[in-house]
Amino acid sequence: MASNIPIIIKSFLFILILLNIKSFPLAYHIRSIPIFLKAFKDRNADNEGKDIFQIVECKYDVLFDDLDSNLHMNNSSYNKVLDHARGYFLGTLFANIMWYRKPSIMQRSVLMVFDHEIPPFSNYSVHTRILTWDHKWLVLVSYFRLHKDNKIASLGISKCIFKEPNGKTIRPEEIFEASGYLKNESEKGKEEREKRRQRGMKFVEGIHVAEGLFDDEFVKDLNLKNKITAKL
């Protein structure tokens, strides 16, 4: 039956599948396999002396299923890409913890800020590093950089929390120490790390404020009778 299909139709279907390959069932999970392989490979890595603020780069391409009606990268695609880049970052810096301690990593907030569009079929990278942390939350910043002109198109800020299998919160600095990053750290290194942490914290204060919209005072408005319901 398949042999009777004209070659032009076969070619069209092949191109259509190729252009939308990232939207196929299980495609997201298959693309996540390198994260687990990286964590397995580096599970016994010695991170002593390494910079906790090091940057991890992930490279991507804008395919047809990343585009919106304006023919540039869809806003929803940024979060999917960011989720992958964030996972690869955590699997790279904290492979030993991820592999042996198996914590759950949950997202409290994700903020995207757009500066320039990412054109169709362009190449870009996502550069992720630690922005700041406190006694509970780890905050990452990820920059979307176009390869063509080296322009930063957008950035994403991710607020994460680590949990033990029993639900107990793991402090970010405990994760750092268990991963070997703070081993034999000098006093000068501690001071510089704290300065960078405090500098980064200034940029996430607005996220903490926005999370206050979960308060009952604001949520109760969702039950008003004069709301408009859209049928999709």
Side-chain angles (χ1 to χ4, degrees), residues 106 162-170:
M106 305 174 185
F162 293 82
K163 292 283 189 179
E164 296 275 17
N166 61 7
K168 180 183 177 182
T169 297
I170 311 174

Side-chain angles (χ1 to χ4, degrees), residues 52 94 130 133 138 172-182:
I52 194 64
F94 309 118
I130 293 174
W133 65 89
L138 176 68
E173 287 201 2
E174 184 180 345
I175 293 290
F176 303 161
E177 292 170 355
S179 299
Y181 286 99
L182 309 185

Side-chain angles (χ1 to χ4, degrees), residues 73-214:
M73 187 160 155
N74 192 309
N75 289 351
S76 63
S77 296
Y78 286 84
N79 279 295
K80 184 183 291 187
V81 171
L82 181 59
D83 191 52
H84 180 271
R86 183 174 53 235
Y88 197 82
F89 173 85
L90 294 170
T92 299
L93 262 70
F94 309 118
N96 44 11
I97 293 298
M98 302 289 288
W99 191 259
Y100 292 112
R101 202 160 168 178
K102 296 180 172 57
S104 298
I105 305 175
M106 305 174 185
Q107 301 301 311
R108 169 64 172 177
S109 308
V110 177
L111 170 66
M112 287 300 310
V113 181
F114 304 103
D115 196 27
H116 300 283
E117 69 175 13
I118 298 184
F121 311 111
S122 56
N123 312 114
Y124 66 97
S125 289
V126 178
H127 301 260
T128 302
R129 66 172 174 84
I130 293 174
L131 178 62
T132 188
W133 65 89
D134 58 18
H135 66 284
K136 185 176 182 180
W137 304 101
L138 176 68
V139 183
L140 311 178
V141 61
S142 302
Y143 292 93
F144 289 67
R145 179 184 62 83
L146 290 167
H147 290 179
K148 182 179 180 181
D149 51 14
N150 213 33
K151 181 184 294 184
I152 302 299
S154 59
L155 64 85
I157 299 176
S158 307
K159 185 178 176 182
C160 320
I161 190 170
F162 293 82
K163 292 283 189 179
E164 296 275 17
N166 61 7
K168 180 183 177 182
T169 297
I170 311 174
R171 294 181 300 105
E173 287 201 2
E174 184 180 345
I175 293 290
F176 303 161
E177 292 170 355
S179 299
Y181 286 99
L182 309 185
K183 188 177 181 180
N184 297 324
E185 186 180 34
S186 66
E187 287 300 321
K188 183 178 179 180
K190 291 179 182 179
E191 292 177 3
E192 179 61 27
R193 174 165 57 84
E194 179 59 18
K195 286 180 181 178
R196 294 190 66 171
R197 187 194 72 82
Q198 293 183 10
R199 186 166 66 241
M201 187 61 70
K202 296 178 181 179
F203 294 97
V204 300
E205 293 173 350
I207 297 179
H208 299 317
V209 174
E211 289 168 356
L213 291 172
F214 283 111

Side-chain angles (χ1 to χ4, degrees), residues 18-41:
L18 191 62
L19 290 175
N20 294 275
I21 193 68
K22 289 192 286 186
S23 296
F24 263 60
L26 299 179
Y28 176 84
H29 301 84
I30 293 173
R31 293 177 66 204
S32 299
I33 291 177
I35 297 175
F36 299 101
L37 294 178
K38 178 69 173 176
F40 176 77
K41 178 183 177 183

